[in-house]
């Protein structure tokens, strides 16, 4: 895996890491315990072992949603509670975030969440075509420095992979509070065959959708703009 100072031109949809730290503070005792007790019961099968069948993860699920980089898990858990018949697959490499999500899942007695405590791209590659109803990417690492832009999650290759995974009519929601990343993502998503931007006017990307869940990260207002919401549909 390349270091953060790598200035090569290798594509992001490959060995380059699109996320930052894996762990910061020591896990709280309850969260550490949940890694041993709860996580094994809802972990996504090893994507390197073969294809992943979403229906095998939750038989009878009416829809399948994927959240890439769920942070502390507040949004993932809230959406899972609102949609108990929907399988929620969440991917997050930051172990403290996984620990937080496990706590939310236990507190809510949620049965429709499956987690991958690592790079989402591995799971995406293992999922079949047209297997997802929604993909959600909220506040991904912006990788500000120009030489690090290649590490951004949204690249032409990842956008094409999202289009492959979405069912016809399926939707992608990308949210960022950095103007340059919104422009970067919009440029790549708009030129991806099969994806169509749903916005008609500025309010469509400046106003939070009705089902949006505000997270602790969003409340910190660390970006250079109010959150921008890019919604795409698979056509």
């Amino acid at each position: 895996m390349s270091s953060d100072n790598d200035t090569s031109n290798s594509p992001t949809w490959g060995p380059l890491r699109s996320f930052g730290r894996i762990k910061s503070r020591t896990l709280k005792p309850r969260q550490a315990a949940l890694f041993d007790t709860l996580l094994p019961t809802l972990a996504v099968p090893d994507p390197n072992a073969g294809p992943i069948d979403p229906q095998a993860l939750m038989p009878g699920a009416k829809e399948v949603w994927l959240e890439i980089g769920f942070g502390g898990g507040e949004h993932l858990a809230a959406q899972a509670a609102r949609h108990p018949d929907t399988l929620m697959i969440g991917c997050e490499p930051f172990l403290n975030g996984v620990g937080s999500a496990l706590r939310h899942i236990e507190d809510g007695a949620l049965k429709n969440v499956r987690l991958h405590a690592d790079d989402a791209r591995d799971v995406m590659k293992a999922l079949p075509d047209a297997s997802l109803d929604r993909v959600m990417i909220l506040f991904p690492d912006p990788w500000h420095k120009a030489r690090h832009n290649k590490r951004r999650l949204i690249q032409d290759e990842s956008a094409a992979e999202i289009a492959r995974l979405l069912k016809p009519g399926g939707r992608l929601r990308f949210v960022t509070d950095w103007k340059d990343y919104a422009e970067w993502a919009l440029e790549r998503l708009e030129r991806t065959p099969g994806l169509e931007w749903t916005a008609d006017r500025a309010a469509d990307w400046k106003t939070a959708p009705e089902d949006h869940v505000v997270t602790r990260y969003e409340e910190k207002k660390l970006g250079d703009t109010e959150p921008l919401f890019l919604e795409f549909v698979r056509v």
Side-chain angles (χ1 to χ4, degrees):
M1 187 170 292
S2 303
S3 69
D4 286 355
N5 293 320
D6 185 357
T7 58
S8 70
N9 292 319
S10 302
T12 296
W13 191 256
L16 282 182
R17 205 171 77 186
S18 63
F19 46 87
R21 59 186 180 174
I22 302 299
K23 182 181 177 183
S24 60
R25 63 185 182 279
T26 301
L27 290 171
K28 296 178 181 179
R30 180 188 173 192
Q31 293 181 359
L34 290 174
F35 267 87
D36 296 326
T37 58
L38 182 57
L39 182 58
T41 70
L42 47 77
V44 173
D46 181 1
N48 297 311
I52 295 174
D53 178 8
Q55 287 302 317
L57 299 181
M58 182 180 166
K62 293 183 178 179
E63 292 191 358
V64 182
W65 296 12
L66 171 67
E67 182 168 355
I68 301 174
F70 56 71
E74 305 105 309
H75 176 269
L76 183 70
Q79 295 288 10
R82 291 176 180 178
H83 306 277
D85 294 330
T86 295
L87 168 62
M88 301 285 181
I89 301 175
C91 301
E92 173 59 59
F94 184 44
L95 298 185
N96 297 83
V98 176
S100 174
L102 290 170
R103 177 174 56 81
H104 289 302
I105 292 168
E106 184 179 59
D107 288 345
L110 303 173
K111 305 299 182 184
N112 58 327
V113 182
R114 302 293 180 268
L115 301 183
H116 179 64
D118 209 329
D119 195 332
R121 295 173 296 183
D122 295 332
V123 170
M124 294 169 71
K125 291 176 183 177
L127 288 170
D129 294 355
S131 57
L132 301 178
D133 296 273
R134 291 188 70 176
V135 174
M136 299 168 290
I137 305 172
L138 276 59
F139 305 102
D141 195 321
W143 292 105
H144 295 297
K145 295 181 180 179
R147 70 176 186 272
H148 289 159
N149 284 173
K150 61 183 177 291
R151 293 181 177 277
R152 287 176 166 174
L153 176 64
I154 298 299
Q155 305 285 342
D156 288 319
E157 297 85 356
S158 56
E161 187 75 345
I162 290 170
R164 178 186 73 82
L165 292 172
L166 284 173
K167 299 176 183 178
R171 302 177 75 87
L172 163 67
R173 177 175 298 169
F174 175 87
V175 187
T176 183
D177 52 2
W178 292 97
K179 293 177 183 177
D180 68 319
Y181 200 179
E183 294 171 354
W184 169 285
L186 184 60
E187 179 182 355
R188 283 150 184 79
L189 293 170
E190 277 201 298
R191 69 189 182 206
T192 300
L195 293 182
E196 183 176 285
W197 193 22
T198 63
D200 293 320
R201 57 190 187 280
D204 292 335
W205 66 82
K206 293 182 178 180
T207 303
E210 290 184 2
D211 65 344
H212 176 62
V213 177
V214 177
T215 65
R216 286 183 297 169
Y217 173 87
E218 183 177 343
E219 291 175 338
K220 293 178 181 179
K221 299 184 181 298
L222 299 177
D224 61 1
T225 182
E226 291 297 313
L228 301 172
F229 301 86
L230 305 184
E231 296 268 339
F232 283 78
V233 63
R234 180 67 165 93
V235 296

